[in-house]
Amino acid sequence: MTATISLSPTLEDRLSSSPASSSLRLSLAPGPAPALLDGAWWPRSRDLTAELPVLTAVLEPLWGRITRVTVNPTHWPVVPRKVPVARHVVKVGWFLPEQDPHELLLLSYNVGRWNLLVVPPETDPVSAAWLMAAASDPLGTSTASRLMEEAARLRTVSETDRAVEAVWDSEGGPARASVAMTARDDNDAPA
């Protein structure tokens, strides 16, 4: 089965501060068997009772009836034992040391299992877009935690670059060089 759903952050998502927005932020890898991750999910909150019904409503037509979900409770303040979705109940389990803290595991009796990177709800849209694309790369070989570490590293590099550029500009960087070039060009002009 080949399915790609990319509901990556749009301008509307970035401008909307309402956590109750109904659009699902999900990106799935194309093809039948990605290496480690089947995609990424960017929930709007850390409330599994509110978030899982929306996720399963989109995934069940593609993957079959989701019967069980497991999480690592590190990033979920409350892990309910059961969540009502559509016309059935999804059992929720948790594993502390065995499961990547940034991953959600979905199980279906009929079809199999899927691993999704969970992008933290508070993630900025640029980092979230990068994470969703990286997690849904069918050739990807990174774990969810490794992708989160790489996103943090890229964010730090970007912030450092902006800080260096701000210092450069405040010390007369490109603007001063531009004025000096203009003055020299004016002096070289024929009279």
Side-chain angles (χ1 to χ4, degrees):
M1 173 174 80
T2 300
T4 302
I5 297 176
S6 186
L7 304 175
S8 303
T10 63
L11 182 57
E12 180 181 50
D13 289 336
R14 289 181 210 147
L15 297 176
S16 170
S17 59
S18 169
S21 179
S22 63
S23 64
L24 181 67
R25 302 180 296 187
L26 176 69
S27 180
L28 300 177
L36 293 176
L37 294 170
D38 295 284
W41 173 46
W42 187 17
R44 297 187 183 280
S45 73
R46 295 210 181 265
D47 180 357
L48 283 171
T49 305
E51 299 289 342
L52 280 179
V54 178
L55 178 64
T56 59
V58 170
L59 293 179
E60 286 187 349
L62 301 170
W63 291 348
R65 186 176 189 167
I66 306 296
T67 56
R68 177 174 282 280
V69 172
T70 66
V71 297
N72 180 314
T74 302
H75 299 295
W76 300 99
V78 175
V79 179
R81 296 182 67 62
K82 296 178 182 179
V83 175
V85 299
R87 292 176 298 276
H88 67 284
V89 173
V90 173
K91 294 178 182 176
V92 181
W94 59 270
F95 298 96
L96 194 55
E98 297 90 359
Q99 187 166 345
D100 188 315
H102 300 287
E103 191 171 290
L104 178 82
L105 171 68
L106 300 114
L107 299 164
S108 170
Y109 286 135
N110 300 346
V111 185
R113 71 178 257 178
W114 300 273
N115 299 319
L116 295 179
L117 163 71
V118 178
V119 178
E122 64 277 2
T123 304
D124 67 275
V126 172
S127 294
W130 183 87
L131 283 163
M132 293 180 80
S136 51
D137 179 354
L139 302 175
T141 58
S142 291
T143 64
S145 284
R146 194 170 299 136
L147 286 176
M148 293 299 294
E149 290 167 4
E150 181 65 12
R153 187 189 70 74
L154 291 172
R155 196 170 36 255
T156 301
V157 166
S158 178
E159 289 167 1
T160 302
D161 287 350
R162 281 194 298 270
V164 167
E165 188 174 307
V167 168
W168 171 259
D169 289 345
S170 71
E171 292 178 353
R176 180 178 276 175
S178 170
V179 171
M181 295 282 279
T182 304
R184 189 181 70 212
D185 292 343
D186 289 344
N187 292 336
D188 294 339

